[in-house]
Amino acid sequence: MKIALAFSGGGVRATVFHLGVLARLAREDLLGNVHMISSVSGGSLAAGLVFAATNNRWPSSAEYLHEVVPKILHLLTTQNLQRSYVIKSLMFPWQILSGRAAVLGDELERRWQINGDLSDLPESPRWLINATCYQTGKNWRFQRDLMGDYQTKYIVDPKLPLSHALAASAAVPGLIGPLIVKAKHHRWQEMRNDEWHSIPAKYKRLHLWDGGVYDNLGVEALFKPGIGLVDGTDFLIVCDASRPLGSESRRSKWRPGYLKASMRLVDVATDQVRSLRARMLIDHFKKNPGSGAYLRLGLKSKRPTLRAHTPPEATASSSGIRDSHWTEQPSLTDEEVDRVSRIETTLRRLNHQEFSMLFRHGYEVANGTLARYGGESLDQLPRSRVLLRAA
């Protein structure tokens, strides 16, 4: 089975939720089956942390559980990325010439140890890091050997720090500024007759913002309406850690009223687009059983089967993986699920309790897919009717 993963945005809330989902896959020794990853914002940070913890390669399932998770836990509970970004922006304002996201990228490298260039990423799994191009209004993608969008065209074999690509993907309006790409520093090309041809740059500068503005689920590269999954993948897991849209959003006593109103409108529009994409995906999964699963932050159910399984105590799984760090404990209560779902979309440091609950929630939501169908193994999903919908 060839798995495709779509990791949504949502700041560090999304980052840890996605890590919990990966842990559930790792318990079935399925990380080696991941062939494509498409990520946005906090989802990009999650994948970036995983790659960084293993020197820019994809870990085995056992390595993820034993080594990667503890490393990331330490980083996210000791390093306040948001505070260091703000301090750096104020102390060294000339660095903003490359965009505020460039400052964030430098802090990702310094604080979270995300090193190397895009070219240092492995060929497999293929990782698509999504941003939004302000000039074209299209989905800009960073890949190992390519970056651009279909209107601006492309830069082949780009020389760009991985940390800056992640910062552009996470450049949330109102929180982080854009990454500025100066056209003169790159060679622009387009594909004609199966060959790359040089073309003049269409813009002098490009401003790359949060990928969630265009597609907060990160699914466009993996799923085509009316067609289905992209070639080469069998099963799509969409991990949606978007924060539920409440009566208020982006509260801050430091922002003037007009800016809070503007950000609120952005949130409303983004939530509507996400909802439409989610409905389209769920409809496809219904009509094509065994083609994918939709995992939603905040999922809770009164059905006991959704809480029948928790991370098991130091026992060998069917894959032979052991992890003494996992202990039997009750699943999150409805109140705890509500609490983690309301964690704001920021890049601040998490405390250990927040990390633990978010991680467990991601694990339990993924695990609920198996529990609802009698504890089936994920390697049997393509042959079963698997669908996980938000309550």
Side-chain angles (χ1 to χ4, degrees), residues 14 19 88 98 106 122 186 198 205 220 234 255 257 264 313 347-348 366:
L19 295 174
K88 215 35 136 7
S98 297
D106 292 341
H186 302 278
S198 296
R205 293 186 175 190
E220 187 174 272
D234 305 313
R255 293 194 184 106
R264 171 66 177 176
E313 187 177 4
L347 301 178
R348 66 172 176 82

Side-chain angles (χ1 to χ4, degrees), residues 215-235:
D215 170 17
N216 200 44
L217 294 181
V219 298
E220 187 174 272
L222 306 177
F223 175 86
K224 303 298 181 185
I227 299 176
L229 308 188
V230 296
D231 291 339
T233 59
D234 305 313
F235 194 82

